[in-house]
Amino acid sequence: MNHLDILYEDNHIIIVNKRAGEIVQGDKTGDKPLSDIVKDYLKKKYNKPGNVFLGVSHRLDRPVSGIVIFAKTSKALTRLNDMFRNGDVHKTYWALTRNCPKIKEGTLTSWIVRNEKQNKSYPYDHEVPNSKKAVLKYKVIGHTDNYTLIEVNLMTGRHHQIRCQLAEIGCPIRGDLKYGARRSNPDGSISLLSRRAEFIHPVSKKTIEVKAPVPDEHVWSFKQS
């Protein structure tokens, strides 16, 4: 069975730590997606005959690592979809950037236009045709020898939102050539981690909080600010 790092599991949801380079759902590459790996795990663990239900409620970009929440039941999927749409799943990210923001803590508000052909998003400081409002809060929480560690809390979930908004303030994420990084990471990843998620369980209604481990790389050995 493929590698699978499970952070939480119950009868209705399963939360997995995605590795950089994995895709959450199948795409034109034909590579096996994380969703199929989780299905294989469930089929084997519970000795399930036939197809296994697994609902995808959100995604992470391929080069990003960290928390992905899947639904094991249709009831959980419907409710999770509503929760993500309404901003009831609170997600925190960590990003390594070469530059330090001029303002160490703040809110970024942009209107983002997605270019499907380029698979890239462009931020504007005012509303433009086909744009969607994007809001995040950030603060500098640490430093490594060469990089700044920025914590990001998403208020909205737009395409490449963190990547393009941090680049817009002169802080492209390490390894993110698409948004202005000077060089790629050796493994093709970008140094963006979906670090923490907190939400009310869609069925049991208890508070769920999970954290993804920090990548085991020297570059992530930071000092707290």
Side-chain angles (χ1 to χ4, degrees):
M1 187 180 296
N2 298 65
H3 162 91
L4 196 60
D5 183 7
I6 298 167
L7 302 175
Y8 176 88
E9 183 184 0
D10 62 27
N11 290 336
H12 291 280
I13 63 175
I14 181 168
I15 304 176
V16 175
N17 180 31
K18 181 181 103 61
R19 295 182 298 178
E22 289 181 318
I23 50 173
V24 175
Q25 278 188 301
D27 64 8
K28 60 186 178 183
T29 65
D31 295 340
K32 187 168 186 174
L34 184 59
S35 56
D36 281 0
I37 296 171
V38 176
K39 283 182 181 179
D40 289 346
Y41 157 81
L42 295 174
K43 189 177 182 68
K44 183 175 181 180
K45 179 177 180 180
Y46 299 104
N47 195 26
K48 287 179 173 284
N51 294 328
V52 174
F53 178 87
L54 189 77
V56 179
S57 55
H58 71 114
R59 297 162 187 80
L60 287 183
D61 296 340
R62 186 164 195 162
V64 178
S65 61
I67 293 167
V68 180
I69 304 166
F70 294 103
K72 292 169 63 176
T73 62
S74 57
K75 178 192 288 188
L77 178 61
T78 299
R79 293 178 183 179
L80 275 173
N81 285 340
D82 289 339
M83 289 165 64
F84 274 101
R85 193 178 302 114
N86 297 328
D88 295 329
V89 179
H90 306 290
K91 297 166 68 180
T92 301
Y93 291 77
W94 281 5
L96 287 178
T97 66
R98 170 72 68 175
N99 301 323
C100 184
K102 293 178 181 177
I103 301 171
K104 299 295 179 67
E105 182 173 353
T107 300
L108 302 180
T109 301
S110 308
W111 281 262
I112 287 178
V113 176
R114 178 178 181 177
N115 185 310
E116 298 271 0
K117 286 186 178 179
Q118 296 178 332
N119 190 31
K120 187 174 179 179
S121 288
Y122 293 87
Y124 295 82
D125 62 5
H126 59 281
E127 190 172 4
V128 299
N130 302 314
S131 64
K132 293 183 177 180
K133 189 176 183 179
V135 184
L136 63 76
K137 294 182 179 181
Y138 75 90
K139 64 178 176 180
V140 174
I141 61 170
H143 296 274
T144 70
D145 292 341
N146 299 306
Y147 297 96
T148 298
L149 180 67
I150 300 175
E151 183 172 271
V152 174
N153 286 288
L154 279 179
M155 305 295 106
T156 55
R158 306 304 183 199
H159 178 257
H160 291 183
Q161 180 179 340
I162 297 173
R163 298 166 67 179
C164 74
Q165 284 193 290
L166 288 184
E168 183 70 2
I169 61 169
C171 299
I173 294 168
R174 174 180 174 268
D176 197 358
L177 294 178
K178 181 167 284 192
Y179 289 97
R182 286 185 281 180
R183 60 178 65 89
S184 60
N185 290 344
D187 61 358
S189 70
I190 64 174
S191 298
L192 179 61
L193 170 69
S194 177
R195 168 67 168 160
R196 177 176 172 271
E198 183 178 354
F199 57 96
I200 303 299
H201 192 286
V203 181
S204 72
K205 304 305 179 185
K206 69 178 181 179
T207 299
I208 303 294
E209 181 183 351
V210 291
K211 285 184 179 179
V214 177
D216 186 20
E217 301 174 63
H218 174 70
V219 72
W220 284 94
S221 301
F222 57 88
K223 297 175 182 177
Q224 294 278 5
S225 289

